Amino acid sequence: FEQPADCTVYSLQETSSRGDAAELIKSIQPEYFQMANRILNEAERHFGKIDRSILFPMADHIAFAVQRLQKGEKISNPLTEDIKTLFSEFKVASMIQTILKEEKQIDIDEDEIGYVALHIHSALEKESVSVSMQMARAVRDCVSVIEEERGIRINVMSLSYNRLMNHVKYMVARVLKGESLKVNMN
């Protein structure tokens, strides 16, 4: 069979924390794949080529989030502010708020958007969502140590915080990859 040029073919070999793709696809309504695809299209428009295999876990996450919200259950994300600052993907992930409002009349909060942003980030960086979450947590812990040691609170909306977060982010990335700093700080 000949594949159209603008068509993406997915292999049902992916797995997530909730199971493998072949099983997930049976339990996820097609509309959630469409929502995830819209977000991935926008992410690709903003950031360039991304790993589309994230479609299944992202659709699963959105479907599961909708189920929780319909039951009145909310999850918290203690790293939401850090994810917003660390990952520019948060802005694209915010699309889910409009999509769910229009299509399901559901209000989704920034904590859930933060998790969608982690999915997008993992698709861009070809790393797992758990590694992205680990990065955000490590950065939060480093900033907390600085605040505690200095006896100060850093305004998360300030340019200083943004700059600090970026420096710590790249420091953590170097540590996770085993890279050394090649700049003589003396």
Side-chain angles (χ1 to χ4, degrees):
F1 112 96
E2 190 174 319
Q3 177 183 334
D6 63 343
C7 180
T8 303
V9 175
Y10 291 94
S11 169
L12 297 179
Q13 298 172 10
E14 303 297 325
T15 60
S16 77
S17 60
R18 295 197 349 112
D20 66 28
E23 290 303 312
L24 282 176
I25 198 163
K26 295 174 189 173
S27 65
I28 302 171
Q29 295 175 356
E31 64 189 320
Y32 297 111
F33 289 106
Q34 291 171 341
M35 290 176 193
N37 191 56
R38 282 177 62 188
I39 293 168
L40 291 177
N41 287 342
E42 187 65 16
E44 204 161 56
R45 204 172 68 69
H46 273 77
F47 305 113
K49 189 83 176 127
I50 65 171
D51 180 1
R52 289 247 169 199
S53 68
I54 198 72
L55 179 81
F56 290 96
M58 184 187 284
D60 181 48
H61 180 88
I62 294 168
F64 196 54
V66 167
Q67 284 177 357
R68 282 193 312 269
L69 291 167
Q70 286 173 333
K71 292 177 185 174
E73 300 170 4
K74 287 186 67 165
I75 61 165
S76 66
N77 184 345
L79 301 173
T80 298
E81 288 303 316
D82 300 298
I83 292 168
K84 282 172 71 172
T85 305
L86 275 172
F87 303 123
S88 56
E89 295 88 343
F90 190 89
K91 187 172 184 176
V92 172
S94 295
M95 279 181 65
I96 193 62
Q97 203 167 32
T98 305
I99 292 169
L100 287 177
K101 187 68 173 173
E102 289 173 357
E103 296 186 21
K104 294 279 191 183
Q105 294 71 52
I106 290 177
D107 291 314
I108 192 169
D109 62 20
E110 288 191 337
D111 287 346
E112 287 283 5
I113 293 169
Y115 289 118
V116 174
L118 289 175
H119 280 283
I120 296 168
H121 179 75
S122 73
L124 288 168
E125 298 299 321
K126 295 187 174 128
E127 65 186 23
S128 70
V129 173
S130 62
V131 169
S132 300
M133 188 69 147
Q134 187 179 24
M135 165 76 80
R137 186 173 311 284
V139 170
R140 163 68 4 230
D141 291 347
C142 289
V143 171
S144 293
V145 167
I146 293 167
E147 289 177 327
E148 191 174 303
E149 289 295 318
R150 300 290 302 151
I152 59 171
R153 275 271 164 273
I154 303 171
N155 178 358
V156 297
M157 300 309 289
S158 69
L159 178 59
S160 298
Y161 184 77
N162 197 304
R163 290 180 64 203
L164 175 63
M165 290 284 284
N166 278 314
H167 284 293
V168 174
K169 172 184 171 182
Y170 291 113
M171 176 192 72
V172 170
R174 284 192 303 275
V175 169
L176 290 175
K177 291 179 181 173
E179 295 177 3
S180 61
L181 187 60
K182 295 173 180 46
V183 175
N184 182 348
M185 297 302 281
N186 292 332

